[in-house]
Amino acid sequence: MTKGRWKITKKNSVIIIIIFILCFSITGCRNRDNVIKPINAEYFTISYGNSGYEAKDKVKQETVDFFVEDYNNIKLNGTTNQEINFDKSITIIFIDNDQISAQLTIDDKGICWIAANNEVNTYILDKKSNIYADLLKVYYEVKGKYKS
């Protein structure tokens, strides 16, 4: 080797690998942490299929807080190209200070569309999540209060 050129040794290889690992550790290579940014909400609107209702003054603040926490801790199993079944989808739009803070659309198969922080993507919801069933229950509760 000539003077001034890099000589690849075991020591240099280890240093390069350590730098590579540190870069990925700092920037993060996990998908979930880069997707869901925590939100706040004063109330939400909820829809199922083609009908929707504003839940403001129709549910307790604890219910709003529950869904905000559920959203902030949502577990995803990656992105997908699968289409959402909009006939069986539930959409919840979180409102904070009269502005949309996030939107989640999820179908009965766990395909979900998340819109927050000017980003929109389609994901597969973790199979252990109960958010669809919880949202469906609250949808019917809110819908019933409009019919009364």
Side-chain angles (χ1 to χ4, degrees), residues 21-142:
I21 291 170
L22 285 174
C23 287
F24 274 111
S25 297
I26 292 170
T27 59
C29 55
R30 294 178 295 160
N31 192 21
R32 190 253 180 239
D33 290 338
N34 296 331
V35 173
I36 305 299
K37 306 279 191 263
I39 62 161
N40 292 313
E42 297 167 346
Y43 66 98
F44 58 83
T45 64
I46 190 164
S47 61
Y48 179 69
N50 292 325
S51 63
Y53 302 94
E54 185 175 275
K56 187 175 187 177
D57 302 325
K58 304 291 183 193
V59 297
K60 294 179 181 176
Q61 187 60 42
E62 292 85 25
T63 303
V64 176
D65 296 341
F66 171 81
F67 283 116
V68 167
E69 185 176 338
D70 222 13
Y71 175 87
N72 288 339
N73 294 307
I74 199 166
K75 302 285 187 236
L76 304 170
N77 286 335
T79 59
T80 183
N81 292 331
Q82 294 181 45
E83 294 286 324
I84 291 178
N85 180 354
F86 286 102
D87 292 332
K88 294 189 176 190
S89 70
I90 299 172
T91 298
I92 183 168
I93 299 173
F94 296 98
I95 312 292
D96 190 43
N97 292 323
D98 292 325
Q99 294 182 356
I100 295 173
S101 56
Q103 178 178 335
L104 170 68
T105 301
I106 180 171
D107 72 9
D108 59 330
K109 301 235 189 304
I111 307 302
C112 63
W113 182 78
I114 297 173
N117 305 312
N118 297 321
E119 294 180 24
V120 178
N121 287 301
T122 306
Y123 302 94
I124 301 171
L125 191 64
D126 187 84
K127 300 243 187 255
K128 296 176 187 172
S129 175
N130 293 325
I131 194 166
Y132 181 84
D134 293 341
L135 286 171
L136 191 59
K137 188 166 112 177
V138 169
Y139 166 80
Y140 284 115
E141 177 186 328
V142 172

